[in-house]
Amino acid sequence: MSGTLSHCVQALPASCGSECPGLVLSLFTGSATTTENPDATAGGLRVNAPANLTVTEPGSSRIFFVSLETQPTAAVTVPLSSSDVGEATVTPASLSFDSGNFSFGQVVTVTGVDDAAMDADQTATIQIGAATSADPAYSGISGTPVVVTILDDESPNIFVTESGVNSVTGEDGTTDDYTIVLTTQPAMDVTVNVANFAGGLTNGGPGETLLFTAGACPGPGNWCAAQTITLSAVDDVNIEGNHGGMVTHSVASADPVYAAITPPSVFQVIRDNDFFTFITAATHTGDFDNDPALSGTGAGDGIAEAARFCNADANRPNARNYKALLASPMATLFRRATVAPDAGDNREDWVLVPNGNYYRADGTTLIFTPNTTSIFVFGVAAGTLGGTGAYWSALRVDWRTNNGNSCSGWSSTAGNAIGGNLASLTNNLLQGTTLNCVDPHPLVCVEQRF
């Protein structure tokens, strides 16, 4: 994918308001901090935030992420607060983690508060903790505070404002916009230089130069008109996970006030479109729900237990989250790829993403690339899953769920289930054979990030 960075002149956009979906760890390169619990053998709050988190008085918002380092044995609630609500607010008021979502970064949004005072730039601190939990590893633990700078709009400033607080670009072609504008009339023209090389962002050239001219605006001067930067990501073949990118700015001007200003950097979440897929080393009967070795509860959540099976397996190529390429017909725990044959419609908890590239555990052998509906066409896959024999699937050859052959929703060793063929390039990859639920077979596990 060739990347571009372009700009145009437009009116200053309204205040940001959208929120970013929860994403995995390490979104801001080199800025994650972990606070461990000194009174427990495990437990830690991980904070992923830009090193210079900055918002503006007109109400712009920025985000950072909080997650847990280890799987808790009980629910964990982490309160959030601002040291100065007259300068910056924080939402939500608290974060809730459990054994299922602990490793995913939850979004914290910081918003600047406008006032009428020319009081220069201010700072506030976002406090994280102390957590409440029945798990002693997390009870009372606080996260590393995040310092936020609030830029004053009554003083000379250069505002860098994202079109939303999502701050997401993707190797699948997803782009993101932000704007740059001056807050007061400069004595002389101001040039803002944009450089965006860190983390895999691209502009298709050595950089970008934005000119803000002095004079009455609107009129001969354009300093009050926001100029838009559009970012895209480099589509590489590295299975690197979602990661952080950064755009930096510098200023040149004969106006000494503006020449002394360094505009904030822009941090981007770059969504990787390359994923690991692996075959479990361990095998298992079709009853995931009742196996105490997998924390089986007998509560009908066999599809969730299968994910624990994946994430505890010796073949897992990294510490990211995985789910099984496995369908389930259970009314409260559906997993399906499609309702209509080969349509990819009405997906529920599906494990593949559109246009992703899925590799074997060696990280180099491409297996398949799903289409825009998150399924792929058989016979044109790049390679097989890489093993021999059968694996649990409960999928039909047309991607529908085989309701009657799923070991009662992966909760019984009685009956049968459909298995896929690890060595097939045809639709037998999904529905290769009928397996007895009491017999052990592996799973195919697929990396998750979104």
Side-chain angles (χ1 to χ4, degrees), residues 1-6 175 196 201-205 230-235:
M1 179 187 75
S2 61
T4 60
L5 184 153
S6 59
T175 61
N196 58 327
L201 293 170
T202 183
N203 63 357
T230 300
L231 299 173
S232 59
V234 176
D235 186 9

Side-chain angles (χ1 to χ4, degrees), residues 37 63 100 188 217 333 378 381:
N37 189 341
I63 59 173
M188 303 293 290
C217 183
L333 289 161
F378 300 103

Side-chain angles (χ1 to χ4, degrees), residues 290-315:
N290 293 290
D291 188 337
L294 302 177
S295 303
T297 63
D301 59 349
I303 199 77
E305 299 298 333
R308 293 188 178 94
F309 188 40
C310 287
N311 290 312
D313 192 77
N315 282 352

Side-chain angles (χ1 to χ4, degrees), residues 23-228:
L23 298 172
V24 297
L25 302 179
S26 301
L27 298 176
F28 300 110
T29 304
S31 60
T33 59
T34 301
T35 303
E36 303 289 348
N37 189 341
D39 299 319
T41 58
L45 298 181
R46 184 176 177 86
V47 179
N48 285 265
N52 59 342
L53 195 149
T54 303
V55 297
T56 61
E57 274 194 5
S60 73
S61 299
R62 299 292 289 162
I63 59 173
F64 64 91
F65 300 84
V66 178
S67 59
L68 306 188
E69 284 289 300
T70 59
Q71 186 174 29
T73 60
V76 179
T77 300
V78 179
L80 304 170
S81 62
S82 170
S83 64
D84 190 344
V85 294
E87 294 291 346
T89 60
V90 60
T91 55
S94 64
L95 304 173
S96 297
F97 297 94
D98 55 33
S99 60
N101 72 353
F102 74 96
S103 65
F104 287 90
Q106 294 195 36
V107 178
V108 178
T109 303
V110 182
T111 303
V113 177
D114 198 9
D115 59 35
M118 186 182 293
D119 53 358
D121 299 344
Q122 302 292 312
T123 60
T125 301
I126 307 303
Q127 305 289 345
I128 303 166
T132 57
S133 178
D135 183 344
Y138 283 100
S139 178
I141 188 173
S142 300
T144 302
V146 175
V147 177
V148 57
T149 300
I150 305 95
L151 301 182
D152 184 28
D153 63 347
E154 284 80 27
S155 305
N157 253 318
I158 299 175
F159 279 2
V160 177
T161 304
E162 301 241 13
S163 55
V165 296
N166 284 4
S167 306
V168 173
T169 55
E171 292 183 9
D172 60 356
T174 303
T175 61
D176 187 46
D177 295 340
Y178 69 94
T179 62
I180 300 179
V181 70
L182 276 57
T183 58
T184 63
Q185 181 174 327
M188 303 293 290
D189 293 352
V190 175
T191 298
V192 177
N193 300 303
V194 181
N196 58 327
F197 302 106
L201 293 170
T202 183
N203 63 357
E208 181 97 2
T209 299
L210 308 181
L211 177 63
F212 295 89
T213 55
C217 183
N222 75 341
W223 58 268
C224 65
Q227 300 188 43
T228 299

Side-chain angles (χ1 to χ4, degrees), residues 246-319:
M246 182 173 66
V247 182
T248 58
H249 309 95
S250 61
V251 174
S253 178
D255 181 334
V257 175
Y258 273 96
I261 296 174
T262 300
S265 299
V266 169
F267 290 85
Q268 288 282 301
V269 174
I270 301 175
R271 294 194 302 197
D272 190 19
N273 65 345
D274 303 299
F275 301 84
F276 277 112
T277 301
F278 73 93
I279 303 164
T280 58
T283 58
H284 197 278
T285 72
D287 185 6
F288 294 97
D289 184 26
N290 293 290
D291 188 337
L294 302 177
S295 303
T297 63
D301 59 349
I303 199 77
E305 299 298 333
R308 293 188 178 94
F309 188 40
C310 287
N311 290 312
D313 192 77
N315 282 352
R316 186 169 67 149
N318 56 35

